[in-house]
Amino acid sequence: MCLSREELAELANAWIWKHHEKIVALSANYIGQLERGKIRWPGKLYREALREILGVSTDAALGFVNSRRAVVRLKDVDRKQFLRSGLGLGVGALVLGPMAALLEGGEPSPIPHRIGATEIEQIRAATRSFDSWSNTYGAGLIREPVMGQLRWSARLLDATCPDRLRPELYSAVGNLAETAGYAAVDIGAHDAGRRVYRFALACAEQAQDWPLRAEILSSMAKQAIWTGQPDDGLTLAEQALVRSDRLTATGRALLHTDRARALAKMRRVSETLTAVGTADDHFAHSTPDDDPPCMAYYECRQVIW
């Protein structure tokens, strides 16, 4: 198995969410700092995740030393060698070429100590920009920058934020994550897309943002159908319809269309036709002015196919 720094970071983030339900933002830059010894004692959850992923039982085996408890220091080269050999990584997977090396060593962008409406709107504006670029140029252009923006934005979730604004912060980050997940799926990076979608869904549920939750589950359902798992797609679409009374008519039409796609793939013809009719009925009562921004793209032709 050959993993890049980014892939290792994403695996660790996914492992922590799966086992601790904690949203973290371990990045490729952070992995690089571990290699170089700039960070010698990462947080407990990071150490636990990396031990599991790399298949070792102790922090020392990873080259991590708590400087407050030990005098011994491991050379940076030992740490680098472990991170390469422990996963069978080729040198090319973690060591950049001479030109790309000029981009190494940058410090993570600082985050504000306190989050307010301005920072939340900045995340929303970034999401709108990425969506526009994706629609114009394709997801390949935005995948790397949107993931970088998402990692930075996810760190804001741990910053101080007024209680009244925290749901909006989670919604904004979740919406950005949905865009990042779509970018990954659109270029065929399905495993990465699933991980980002799960993060997006966690944010939407934390915010109790029902329309965003429905949109993310719809995206997850479509991905499952596209990748030959229509039964999973049907489950996700029906999960999104829980408390459908909190969705607009457009949102309900979207989800019944997803159900119809999944049922059609399973050749359940009668149920497919019923689902199409239900989607059409809901869309007939659609009022675009009532729809949240995440539903703006949905049009009649998506019901009719």
Side-chain angles (χ1 to χ4, degrees):
M1 178 171 59
C2 184
L3 296 174
S4 67
R5 289 172 179 166
E6 179 181 355
E7 289 168 334
L8 179 57
E10 289 180 353
L11 284 174
N13 290 334
W15 190 94
I16 291 170
W17 168 250
K18 178 179 179 180
H19 293 276
H20 295 283
E21 294 189 351
K22 296 284 188 181
I23 298 172
V24 298
L26 184 62
S27 66
N29 180 280
Y30 192 94
I31 296 295
Q33 292 187 66
L34 293 177
E35 287 180 1
R36 296 189 295 273
K38 294 186 69 174
I39 298 175
R40 296 180 179 273
W41 190 247
K44 178 181 177 181
L45 293 183
Y46 286 177
R47 299 196 312 274
E48 183 179 349
L50 291 171
R51 286 198 308 269
E52 292 296 326
I53 294 167
L54 298 177
V56 299
S57 59
T58 66
D59 294 325
L62 290 170
F64 299 147
V65 177
N66 187 342
S67 59
R68 292 176 296 180
R69 298 183 180 179
V71 177
V72 177
R73 296 290 185 272
L74 296 182
K75 294 181 180 179
D76 292 346
V77 67
D78 294 334
R79 183 178 291 99
K80 291 181 181 179
Q81 184 60 36
F82 173 80
L83 288 172
R84 292 173 190 161
S85 61
L87 275 173
L89 301 179
V91 172
L94 290 178
V95 180
L96 302 177
M99 292 300 293
L102 297 174
L103 304 177
E104 281 287 282
E107 295 296 326
S109 299
I111 63 172
H113 294 296
R114 185 174 180 83
I115 308 303
T118 298
E119 289 74 23
I120 293 171
E121 179 53 34
Q122 288 170 349
I123 298 171
R124 290 171 176 156
T127 303
R128 290 192 294 269
S129 294
F130 285 126
D131 284 339
S132 176
W133 293 351
S134 179
N135 292 336
T136 303
Y137 304 110
L141 176 70
I142 73 161
R143 189 196 171 195
E144 293 298 328
V146 75
M147 282 303 302
Q149 182 65 49
L150 178 59
R151 292 189 187 96
W152 184 86
S153 299
R155 292 166 58 205
L156 300 182
L157 299 175
D158 293 325
T160 301
C161 180
D163 290 343
R164 62 183 177 82
L165 291 179
R166 188 159 289 279
E168 293 186 41
L169 175 60
Y170 272 101
S171 288
V173 175
N175 198 10
L176 177 63
E178 201 273 335
T179 294
Y182 173 79
V185 170
D186 196 46
I187 64 170
H190 287 288
D191 287 342
R194 290 185 187 96
R195 291 194 294 271
V196 178
Y197 277 151
R198 287 196 295 269
F199 172 82
L201 182 60
C203 288
E205 291 182 340
Q206 186 70 30
Q208 297 186 6
D209 187 333
W210 291 85
L212 179 60
R213 174 183 178 274
E215 165 65 14
I216 294 164
L217 284 167
S218 173
S219 295
M220 295 171 74
K222 290 181 178 68
Q223 181 191 18
I225 296 166
W226 292 337
T227 55
Q229 299 170 305
D231 190 64
D232 289 346
L234 180 61
T235 298
L236 289 163
E238 292 184 344
Q239 182 182 346
L241 281 164
V242 172
R243 292 307 306 267
S244 61
D245 59 303
R246 297 186 176 184
L247 305 177
T248 64
T250 305
R252 291 191 290 272
L254 168 70
L255 297 172
H256 282 288
T257 301
D258 293 333
R259 289 187 67 251
R261 288 194 178 103
L263 290 164
K265 285 290 186 180
M266 292 187 285
R267 303 188 184 281
R268 291 160 59 173
V269 178
S270 177
E271 292 171 273
T272 299
L273 294 174
T274 299
V276 171
T278 302
D280 198 21
D281 289 343
H282 282 299
F283 196 81
H285 294 90
S286 176
T287 306
D289 289 344
D290 294 338
D291 292 328
C294 63
M295 296 289 176
Y297 72 93
Y298 190 66
E299 298 175 345
C300 181
R301 63 175 176 268
Q302 290 186 274
V303 178
I304 299 173
W305 298 14

